[in-house]
Every structure is written in structure tokens, then in C-alpha cells.
Amino acid sequence: MLQLCNDRLSVCLLPSAGGAIARFDWLGQGRRELPLMRPCEGSPEVSPGRYEPNRLACYPLLPWSNRIAHGGFFHGGRRIALALNRKDDPYPIHGSGWQRAWSVREHEADMAVLVVDEIAPEAYSYRASLEYRLERDTLRVALRVTNTGSFALPFGLGLHPFFPLHGGVRLRAAATSVWLNDGDDPLPVRQSPVPPEWDFSSDRELPSGGLNHAFVGWRGQATIEWPALALRLHVEADTDGYILYVPEGEDFFCMEPVDHPINAVHLPGGPIANGMTDLAPGETLERAFAFRAEASDSRKEERSHS
């Protein structure tokens, strides 16, 4: 485990478990540690050398996000076959980076750079890097991937953070439309304007009853607020979409900034029209993300220390 720390934030990384974040905590103004992402409790290792990424706080999504139907897709006249990579899911999910061991290329007190190489001659071969950097109240993440294969493929990037509810949360993340599924299968079936109950153009509580949809037309800015803690987390990304997953009865939700919706390779218009990037051999795609914490009520914070 690697630790990054300054006087306001603390981050614990697990390079061997997908280059993921195990903890991301707020230390601002001398407060006790408050989780900004759901912390990994105990070891995520389920057997020697095998990890459960969904126990972690955040992991990278590459070279594509979420699920792909039909065991793969056609691109450039070539069939790209994708094997199932989880026993509990009927579709290939979240690419491969989240299930690989990453190597540490650089590590300082407030930054780290991790790298990984994937070799799959008939599918996605790539070299990727993850840079984590603390700047005062902000965690910056840069995810970069280069196509090291012998043919062009559509690539997509994102992050999969798990955020705690902390007894109640409000979200602002304006979007213009949403890809709806049928409520039984997560694959989208149609695109629709955002309905009023999911309109996060202003702060609102998360909906009850569960939700798992891809929102598009996002401007790359969101705010998560925990009123009981007088704490906000501002999220920025150079992507125009996010997946919002609000599981019923859990103590977390996921707001995943991504550059393409679920199953983009099979949506009308194809992967490029739906946000993915066609990378020829040797070409590179990079996405940047930022998570900035702030006290939402400085007077309340001062009282908590009196």
C-alpha cells in the first residue's frame, strides 16, 4: 500500500489491486479523518494474489467502461472477442485495468505514478499510466492509455468511485439526457431527456428505490454534499457523461465520470459517435479528474473544535 498525504488530504493506494484507491480522507482544518470515498474495510484480497475491486474506494476504468453485450463487437471489419471477467456478471465488465497489478514508477509524499501493460493480441493491448497527485484540498487523477496493439480500436476511460452516504447526501450533476435500461438488465435500451426526479441541475437528494443509468450531456462538474458533516466534494472531469448507481439498502452510491455510456460499441451510431476514441497503434488517450473537498459551513466546523 502507498500513502499520499498533505495537511488536508490522505490517500491510500493499492497498486497490486488495479492501481486502485483504498482510502481517500479529508483532514481539513485539523478535523478527524472523514472518508470522502467509501473506505476499504479489511483486506480486499479474497485469495492469494486475487482481489475484489468492489471492496475498494475507487478504481480505473479502461480500456472501456461498464458492460459490453454479445461477448464483443466488430470494428474495422474485425471481430473483437471479449471474455467474461466476473463470475457474477453475464457480460464483460469495466475492461481489464481494474483487475491487473500495476507497478510503481514514481512515489513521493504527495504523488504517485503507476503503470501497467496489457497484452491481448486479438483484442486490447495497451500501456496505461495513473498519476495521483495531492494539491492542497484537491486530489488530481490523470489516466492515460496508449494502444500498443497492431490495429485500431475504440478506447474509453473513466473512474469508478464509491461515495459514502454519511447519513444523507445531496448531488448536483446536471445532464441533458439519460440512457435508460429496462430495470432488469443494466444495458441501455433507449435515450431520453432526464426525468424531473433525476434532474440534478440543482442540489437534490438521491432517489430511493435504486438507480443504475448512464447520464450524458454532462459538463464535467458535480458537487456531492454531506449536510450532516458540513462537507462538500467537488468533482471535475474532462468527460461528458457519468454512470449513477444508487443501490437500494446500501451505505454508498457511485457517480462514475466516464467518456462513454454503457455498451457504447453497440449503441446507435457506434462507439465513436457515443464518446469513445478510435486509437490507431501508438496513439494515446488521456482523461483528467479532480476531487476537491471543502467545509460547507466554516462556522459549524469552528464550533466542533470549541
Side-chain angles (χ1 to χ4, degrees):
M1 185 177 292
L2 301 182
Q3 185 164 15
L4 313 181
C5 194
N6 62 18
D7 62 346
R8 296 170 182 267
L9 299 173
S10 174
V11 178
C12 292
L13 306 175
L14 279 174
S16 60
I21 298 173
R23 291 191 67 103
F24 175 35
D25 297 322
W26 165 245
L27 314 174
Q29 306 296 322
R31 297 166 61 151
R32 61 184 174 87
E33 291 183 355
L34 291 176
L36 297 169
M37 293 177 182
R38 181 203 61 183
C40 176
E41 301 293 349
S43 173
E45 191 173 35
V46 294
S47 63
R50 190 170 71 88
Y51 295 86
E52 173 47 79
N54 286 321
R55 294 182 184 175
L56 298 167
C58 178
Y59 51 75
L61 301 172
L62 76 153
W64 42 270
S65 159
N66 216 279
R67 295 162 175 84
I68 290 181
H70 309 306
F73 59 96
F74 284 90
H75 188 74
R78 182 188 302 268
R79 166 71 176 173
I80 308 301
L82 301 171
L84 296 177
N85 56 348
R86 282 189 68 91
K87 293 180 181 180
D88 59 355
D89 204 289
Y91 305 107
I93 182 171
H94 294 331
S96 54
W98 69 314
Q99 296 177 319
R100 301 294 181 261
W102 294 56
S103 300
V104 181
R105 191 173 71 190
E106 297 180 54
H107 179 213
E108 298 177 9
D110 59 358
M111 67 86 65
V113 178
L114 312 180
V115 295
V116 70
D117 286 285
E118 175 79 354
I119 300 175
E122 300 304 316
Y124 282 94
S125 293
Y126 60 84
R127 180 173 179 80
S129 67
L130 257 172
E131 179 180 313
Y132 295 100
R133 183 179 298 274
L134 297 181
E135 296 179 358
R136 292 183 59 79
D137 293 317
T138 302
L139 168 63
R140 298 193 181 277
V141 184
L143 178 58
R144 178 184 177 96
V145 65
T146 299
N147 182 359
T148 58
S150 58
F151 47 87
L153 280 173
F155 281 72
L157 301 177
L159 293 182
H160 195 307
F162 296 76
F163 297 108
L165 297 182
H166 284 314
V169 65
R170 298 178 68 83
L171 174 67
R172 183 171 70 247
T176 58
S177 64
V178 59
W179 280 98
L180 298 171
N181 57 52
D182 62 9
D184 296 317
D185 190 296
L187 298 184
V189 294
R190 63 184 176 90
Q191 190 174 12
S192 169
V194 176
E197 64 269 24
W198 300 343
D199 181 4
F200 296 100
S201 56
S202 59
D203 296 356
R204 67 180 303 148
E205 294 181 354
L206 296 175
S208 60
L211 189 152
N212 189 13
H213 297 294
F215 290 73
V216 295
W218 179 49
R219 294 185 177 180
Q221 295 183 328
T223 299
I224 297 165
E225 182 173 9
W226 297 284
L229 302 181
L231 184 63
R232 294 192 188 105
L233 184 66
H234 301 282
V235 181
E236 295 185 2
D238 57 356
T239 69
D240 63 358
Y242 62 87
I243 311 296
L244 185 58
Y245 175 49
V246 185
E248 183 72 9
E250 297 288 350
D251 61 356
F252 70 89
F253 74 101
C254 299
M255 187 268 183
E256 309 157 36
V258 293
D259 57 16
H260 61 284
I262 301 166
N263 203 31
V265 295
H266 293 299
L267 294 181
I272 309 309
N274 286 287
M276 300 186 78
T277 301
D278 196 42
L279 293 186
E283 291 186 333
T284 296
L285 174 65
E286 183 172 349
R287 299 293 181 193
F289 311 87
F291 302 89
R292 180 174 62 85
E294 70 167 359
S296 56
D297 186 341
S298 59
R299 290 172 299 175
K300 183 174 181 177
E301 180 172 287
E302 289 170 1
R303 290 195 299 270
S304 71
H305 289 285
S306 61

